[in-house]
PDB file of all heavy atoms in Angstrom:
ATOM      1  N   ASP N  24      -8.052  -2.063  -1.437  1.00  0.00           N
ATOM      2  CA  ASP N  24      -7.281  -3.319  -1.344  1.00  0.00           C
ATOM      3  C   ASP N  24      -6.977  -3.678   0.122  1.00  0.00           C
ATOM      4  O   ASP N  24      -7.013  -4.880   0.506  1.00  0.00           O
ATOM      5  CB  ASP N  24      -5.964  -3.190  -2.107  1.00  0.00           C
ATOM      6  CG  ASP N  24      -6.105  -2.882  -3.563  1.00  0.00           C
ATOM      7  OD1 ASP N  24      -7.112  -3.355  -4.172  1.00  0.00           O
ATOM      8  OD2 ASP N  24      -5.281  -2.190  -4.148  1.00  0.00           O
ATOM      9  N   ILE N  25      -6.693  -2.659   0.908  1.00  0.00           N
ATOM     10  CA  ILE N  25      -6.410  -2.893   2.305  1.00  0.00           C
ATOM     11  C   ILE N  25      -7.629  -3.404   3.038  1.00  0.00           C
ATOM     12  O   ILE N  25      -7.541  -4.347   3.807  1.00  0.00           O
ATOM     13  CB  ILE N  25      -5.891  -1.574   2.957  1.00  0.00           C
ATOM     14  CG1 ILE N  25      -4.587  -1.087   2.312  1.00  0.00           C
ATOM     15  CG2 ILE N  25      -5.691  -1.741   4.478  1.00  0.00           C
ATOM     16  CD1 ILE N  25      -4.172   0.298   2.660  1.00  0.00           C
ATOM     17  N   VAL N  26      -8.754  -2.842   2.746  1.00  0.00           N
ATOM     18  CA  VAL N  26     -10.020  -3.310   3.384  1.00  0.00           C
ATOM     19  C   VAL N  26     -10.341  -4.701   2.934  1.00  0.00           C
ATOM     20  O   VAL N  26     -10.748  -5.570   3.780  1.00  0.00           O
ATOM     21  CB  VAL N  26     -11.170  -2.375   2.993  1.00  0.00           C
ATOM     22  CG1 VAL N  26     -12.503  -2.943   3.465  1.00  0.00           C
ATOM     23  CG2 VAL N  26     -10.984  -0.980   3.614  1.00  0.00           C
ATOM     24  N   LYS N  27     -10.124  -5.046   1.691  1.00  0.00           N
ATOM     25  CA  LYS N  27     -10.342  -6.404   1.190  1.00  0.00           C
ATOM     26  C   LYS N  27      -9.435  -7.395   1.953  1.00  0.00           C
ATOM     27  O   LYS N  27      -9.885  -8.486   2.353  1.00  0.00           O
ATOM     28  CB  LYS N  27     -10.099  -6.494  -0.311  1.00  0.00           C
ATOM     29  CG  LYS N  27     -11.087  -5.803  -1.185  1.00  0.00           C
ATOM     30  CD  LYS N  27     -10.668  -5.814  -2.616  1.00  0.00           C
ATOM     31  CE  LYS N  27     -11.635  -5.054  -3.528  1.00  0.00           C
ATOM     32  NZ  LYS N  27     -11.213  -5.073  -4.971  1.00  0.00           N
ATOM     33  N   ALA N  28      -8.176  -7.052   2.101  1.00  0.00           N
ATOM     34  CA  ALA N  28      -7.234  -7.968   2.761  1.00  0.00           C
ATOM     35  C   ALA N  28      -7.651  -8.224   4.193  1.00  0.00           C
ATOM     36  O   ALA N  28      -7.604  -9.375   4.693  1.00  0.00           O
ATOM     37  CB  ALA N  28      -5.821  -7.400   2.691  1.00  0.00           C
ATOM     38  N   ILE N  29      -8.093  -7.192   4.887  1.00  0.00           N
ATOM     39  CA  ILE N  29      -8.499  -7.338   6.277  1.00  0.00           C
ATOM     40  C   ILE N  29      -9.800  -8.141   6.371  1.00  0.00           C
ATOM     41  O   ILE N  29      -9.953  -8.952   7.262  1.00  0.00           O
ATOM     42  CB  ILE N  29      -8.604  -5.957   6.962  1.00  0.00           C
ATOM     43  CG1 ILE N  29      -7.194  -5.337   7.081  1.00  0.00           C
ATOM     44  CG2 ILE N  29      -9.274  -6.068   8.325  1.00  0.00           C
ATOM     45  CD1 ILE N  29      -7.180  -3.928   7.535  1.00  0.00           C
ATOM     46  N   ALA N  30     -10.681  -7.916   5.433  1.00  0.00           N
ATOM     47  CA  ALA N  30     -11.908  -8.690   5.359  1.00  0.00           C
ATOM     48  C   ALA N  30     -11.671 -10.175   5.232  1.00  0.00           C
ATOM     49  O   ALA N  30     -12.384 -11.006   5.738  1.00  0.00           O
ATOM     50  CB  ALA N  30     -12.834  -8.203   4.261  1.00  0.00           C
ATOM     51  N   LEU N  31     -10.569 -10.511   4.514  1.00  0.00           N
ATOM     52  CA  LEU N  31     -10.200 -11.921   4.317  1.00  0.00           C
ATOM     53  C   LEU N  31      -9.339 -12.457   5.420  1.00  0.00           C
ATOM     54  O   LEU N  31      -8.837 -13.598   5.334  1.00  0.00           O
ATOM     55  CB  LEU N  31      -9.489 -12.069   2.979  1.00  0.00           C
ATOM     56  CG  LEU N  31     -10.349 -11.751   1.753  1.00  0.00           C
ATOM     57  CD1 LEU N  31      -9.541 -11.795   0.446  1.00  0.00           C
ATOM     58  CD2 LEU N  31     -11.534 -12.737   1.654  1.00  0.00           C
ATOM     59  N   GLY N  32      -9.054 -11.647   6.439  1.00  0.00           N
ATOM     60  CA  GLY N  32      -8.353 -12.155   7.619  1.00  0.00           C
ATOM     61  C   GLY N  32      -7.008 -11.594   7.904  1.00  0.00           C
ATOM     62  O   GLY N  32      -6.382 -11.914   8.904  1.00  0.00           O
ATOM     63  N   ALA N  33      -6.502 -10.710   7.050  1.00  0.00           N
ATOM     64  CA  ALA N  33      -5.140 -10.131   7.309  1.00  0.00           C
ATOM     65  C   ALA N  33      -5.247  -9.164   8.492  1.00  0.00           C
ATOM     66  O   ALA N  33      -6.219  -8.498   8.655  1.00  0.00           O
ATOM     67  CB  ALA N  33      -4.655  -9.382   6.087  1.00  0.00           C
ATOM     68  N   GLU N  34      -4.165  -9.114   9.257  1.00  0.00           N
ATOM     69  CA  GLU N  34      -4.101  -8.103  10.335  1.00  0.00           C
ATOM     70  C   GLU N  34      -3.820  -6.714   9.745  1.00  0.00           C
ATOM     71  O   GLU N  34      -4.294  -5.746  10.248  1.00  0.00           O
ATOM     72  CB  GLU N  34      -3.033  -8.494  11.364  1.00  0.00           C
ATOM     73  CG  GLU N  34      -2.932  -7.489  12.439  1.00  0.00           C
ATOM     74  CD  GLU N  34      -2.214  -8.057  13.710  1.00  0.00           C
ATOM     75  OE1 GLU N  34      -2.854  -8.842  14.438  1.00  0.00           O
ATOM     76  OE2 GLU N  34      -1.034  -7.706  13.936  1.00  0.00           O
ATOM     77  N   ALA N  35      -3.009  -6.688   8.691  1.00  0.00           N
ATOM     78  CA  ALA N  35      -2.615  -5.429   8.087  1.00  0.00           C
ATOM     79  C   ALA N  35      -1.981  -5.728   6.726  1.00  0.00           C
ATOM     80  O   ALA N  35      -1.759  -6.852   6.395  1.00  0.00           O
ATOM     81  CB  ALA N  35      -1.633  -4.666   8.993  1.00  0.00           C
ATOM     82  N   THR N  36      -1.709  -4.660   5.978  1.00  0.00           N
ATOM     83  CA  THR N  36      -0.959  -4.799   4.740  1.00  0.00           C
ATOM     84  C   THR N  36       0.314  -3.968   4.846  1.00  0.00           C
ATOM     85  O   THR N  36       0.429  -3.070   5.685  1.00  0.00           O
ATOM     86  CB  THR N  36      -1.807  -4.276   3.538  1.00  0.00           C
ATOM     87  OG1 THR N  36      -1.904  -2.888   3.575  1.00  0.00           O
ATOM     88  CG2 THR N  36      -3.144  -4.952   3.448  1.00  0.00           C
ATOM     89  N   LEU N  37       1.248  -4.313   3.996  1.00  0.00           N
ATOM     90  CA  LEU N  37       2.442  -3.480   3.853  1.00  0.00           C
ATOM     91  C   LEU N  37       2.364  -2.776   2.451  1.00  0.00           C
ATOM     92  O   LEU N  37       1.935  -3.371   1.488  1.00  0.00           O
ATOM     93  CB  LEU N  37       3.722  -4.336   3.912  1.00  0.00           C
ATOM     94  CG  LEU N  37       3.937  -5.206   5.127  1.00  0.00           C
ATOM     95  CD1 LEU N  37       5.311  -5.863   5.146  1.00  0.00           C
ATOM     96  CD2 LEU N  37       3.738  -4.427   6.430  1.00  0.00           C
ATOM     97  N   ILE N  38       2.842  -1.519   2.430  1.00  0.00           N
ATOM     98  CA  ILE N  38       2.761  -0.745   1.194  1.00  0.00           C
ATOM     99  C   ILE N  38       4.176  -0.444   0.701  1.00  0.00           C
ATOM    100  O   ILE N  38       5.023   0.056   1.439  1.00  0.00           O
ATOM    101  CB  ILE N  38       2.045   0.660   1.490  1.00  0.00           C
ATOM    102  CG1 ILE N  38       0.714   0.378   2.183  1.00  0.00           C
ATOM    103  CG2 ILE N  38       1.888   1.394   0.194  1.00  0.00           C
ATOM    104  CD1 ILE N  38      -0.325  -0.370   1.371  1.00  0.00           C
ATOM    105  N   GLY N  39       4.411  -0.773  -0.582  1.00  0.00           N
ATOM    106  CA  GLY N  39       5.747  -0.564  -1.170  1.00  0.00           C
ATOM    107  C   GLY N  39       5.781   0.438  -2.314  1.00  0.00           C
ATOM    108  O   GLY N  39       5.975   1.618  -2.094  1.00  0.00           O
ATOM    109  N   ARG N  40       5.505  -0.028  -3.539  1.00  0.00           N
ATOM    110  CA  ARG N  40       5.671   0.802  -4.715  1.00  0.00           C
ATOM    111  C   ARG N  40       4.948   2.140  -4.666  1.00  0.00           C
ATOM    112  O   ARG N  40       5.503   3.147  -5.079  1.00  0.00           O
ATOM    113  CB  ARG N  40       5.270   0.037  -5.954  1.00  0.00           C
ATOM    114  CG  ARG N  40       6.377  -0.937  -6.462  1.00  0.00           C
ATOM    115  CD  ARG N  40       5.995  -1.488  -7.842  1.00  0.00           C
ATOM    116  NE  ARG N  40       6.951  -2.372  -8.428  1.00  0.00           N
ATOM    117  CZ  ARG N  40       6.862  -3.714  -8.272  1.00  0.00           C
ATOM    118  NH1 ARG N  40       5.868  -4.277  -7.571  1.00  0.00           N
ATOM    119  NH2 ARG N  40       7.802  -4.470  -8.836  1.00  0.00           N
ATOM    120  N   PRO N  41       3.692   2.223  -4.227  1.00  0.00           N
ATOM    121  CA  PRO N  41       2.998   3.504  -4.248  1.00  0.00           C
ATOM    122  C   PRO N  41       3.775   4.584  -3.528  1.00  0.00           C
ATOM    123  O   PRO N  41       3.780   5.733  -3.947  1.00  0.00           O
ATOM    124  CB  PRO N  41       1.625   3.232  -3.589  1.00  0.00           C
ATOM    125  CG  PRO N  41       1.376   1.769  -3.885  1.00  0.00           C
ATOM    126  CD  PRO N  41       2.727   1.127  -3.814  1.00  0.00           C
ATOM    127  N   LEU N  42       4.397   4.227  -2.435  1.00  0.00           N
ATOM    128  CA  LEU N  42       5.162   5.238  -1.649  1.00  0.00           C
ATOM    129  C   LEU N  42       6.412   5.625  -2.384  1.00  0.00           C
ATOM    130  O   LEU N  42       6.908   6.786  -2.311  1.00  0.00           O
ATOM    131  CB  LEU N  42       5.479   4.683  -0.241  1.00  0.00           C
ATOM    132  CG  LEU N  42       4.294   4.370   0.655  1.00  0.00           C
ATOM    133  CD1 LEU N  42       4.759   3.859   1.977  1.00  0.00           C
ATOM    134  CD2 LEU N  42       3.388   5.570   0.827  1.00  0.00           C
ATOM    135  N   LEU N  43       7.025   4.670  -3.128  1.00  0.00           N
ATOM    136  CA  LEU N  43       8.246   4.990  -3.859  1.00  0.00           C
ATOM    137  C   LEU N  43       7.912   5.826  -5.111  1.00  0.00           C
ATOM    138  O   LEU N  43       8.711   6.725  -5.463  1.00  0.00           O
ATOM    139  CB  LEU N  43       8.943   3.702  -4.287  1.00  0.00           C
ATOM    140  CG  LEU N  43       9.356   2.782  -3.116  1.00  0.00           C
ATOM    141  CD1 LEU N  43      10.182   1.636  -3.648  1.00  0.00           C
ATOM    142  CD2 LEU N  43      10.190   3.547  -2.078  1.00  0.00           C
ATOM    143  N   TRP N  44       6.807   5.571  -5.746  1.00  0.00           N
ATOM    144  CA  TRP N  44       6.409   6.443  -6.863  1.00  0.00           C
ATOM    145  C   TRP N  44       6.205   7.884  -6.363  1.00  0.00           C
ATOM    146  O   TRP N  44       6.615   8.846  -6.966  1.00  0.00           O
ATOM    147  CB  TRP N  44       5.105   5.938  -7.503  1.00  0.00           C
ATOM    148  CG  TRP N  44       5.280   4.690  -8.309  1.00  0.00           C
ATOM    149  CD1 TRP N  44       6.357   4.291  -9.044  1.00  0.00           C
ATOM    150  CD2 TRP N  44       4.309   3.601  -8.392  1.00  0.00           C
ATOM    151  NE1 TRP N  44       6.155   3.037  -9.582  1.00  0.00           N
ATOM    152  CE2 TRP N  44       4.896   2.631  -9.232  1.00  0.00           C
ATOM    153  CE3 TRP N  44       3.016   3.405  -7.899  1.00  0.00           C
ATOM    154  CZ2 TRP N  44       4.217   1.435  -9.594  1.00  0.00           C
ATOM    155  CZ3 TRP N  44       2.360   2.226  -8.198  1.00  0.00           C
ATOM    156  CH2 TRP N  44       2.941   1.277  -9.023  1.00  0.00           C
ATOM    157  N   ALA N  45       5.531   8.013  -5.177  1.00  0.00           N
ATOM    158  CA  ALA N  45       5.289   9.302  -4.598  1.00  0.00           C
ATOM    159  C   ALA N  45       6.587   9.989  -4.200  1.00  0.00           C
ATOM    160  O   ALA N  45       6.778  11.207  -4.365  1.00  0.00           O
ATOM    161  CB  ALA N  45       4.332   9.159  -3.430  1.00  0.00           C
ATOM    162  N   LEU N  46       7.500   9.216  -3.637  1.00  0.00           N
ATOM    163  CA  LEU N  46       8.842   9.736  -3.245  1.00  0.00           C
ATOM    164  C   LEU N  46       9.588  10.302  -4.450  1.00  0.00           C
ATOM    165  O   LEU N  46      10.150  11.409  -4.430  1.00  0.00           O
ATOM    166  CB  LEU N  46       9.644   8.624  -2.591  1.00  0.00           C
ATOM    167  CG  LEU N  46      11.103   8.975  -2.236  1.00  0.00           C
ATOM    168  CD1 LEU N  46      11.124   9.952  -1.056  1.00  0.00           C
ATOM    169  CD2 LEU N  46      11.884   7.664  -1.881  1.00  0.00           C
ATOM    170  N   ALA N  47       9.604   9.518  -5.530  1.00  0.00           N
ATOM    171  CA  ALA N  47      10.299   9.974  -6.729  1.00  0.00           C
ATOM    172  C   ALA N  47       9.621  11.145  -7.376  1.00  0.00           C
ATOM    173  O   ALA N  47      10.279  12.045  -7.908  1.00  0.00           O
ATOM    174  CB  ALA N  47      10.356   8.805  -7.742  1.00  0.00           C
ATOM    175  N   ALA N  48       8.291  11.241  -7.237  1.00  0.00           N
ATOM    176  CA  ALA N  48       7.550  12.336  -7.895  1.00  0.00           C
ATOM    177  C   ALA N  48       7.645  13.616  -7.133  1.00  0.00           C
ATOM    178  O   ALA N  48       7.828  14.693  -7.719  1.00  0.00           O
ATOM    179  CB  ALA N  48       6.069  11.903  -7.997  1.00  0.00           C
ATOM    180  N   ARG N  49       7.512  13.554  -5.810  1.00  0.00           N
ATOM    181  CA  ARG N  49       7.378  14.821  -5.045  1.00  0.00           C
ATOM    182  C   ARG N  49       8.169  14.791  -3.693  1.00  0.00           C
ATOM    183  O   ARG N  49       7.901  15.562  -2.799  1.00  0.00           O
ATOM    184  CB  ARG N  49       5.928  15.103  -4.764  1.00  0.00           C
ATOM    185  CG  ARG N  49       5.121  15.476  -6.010  1.00  0.00           C
ATOM    186  CD  ARG N  49       3.638  15.394  -5.812  1.00  0.00           C
ATOM    187  NE  ARG N  49       3.087  16.362  -4.899  1.00  0.00           N
ATOM    188  CZ  ARG N  49       2.593  17.542  -5.246  1.00  0.00           C
ATOM    189  NH1 ARG N  49       2.565  17.911  -6.524  1.00  0.00           N
ATOM    190  NH2 ARG N  49       2.124  18.376  -4.368  1.00  0.00           N
ATOM    191  N   GLY N  50       9.097  13.859  -3.573  1.00  0.00           N
ATOM    192  CA  GLY N  50       9.885  13.823  -2.379  1.00  0.00           C
ATOM    193  C   GLY N  50       9.134  13.506  -1.119  1.00  0.00           C
ATOM    194  O   GLY N  50       8.136  12.739  -1.182  1.00  0.00           O
TER     195      GLY N  50
END
């Protein structure tokens, strides 16, 4: 998804839920 966004012109992406799922799962 990040590569797709950059290919379409984004400078970067921001990541939210995946990090929170990981935080809740394994700190």
Side-chain angles (χ1 to χ4, degrees):
D24 299 329
I25 297 167
V26 172
K27 290 174 183 180
I29 293 172
L31 295 174
E34 179 161 286
T36 69
L37 304 186
I38 308 296
R40 279 190 181 94
L42 299 180
L43 300 185
W44 290 325
L46 174 71
R49 291 164 67 95

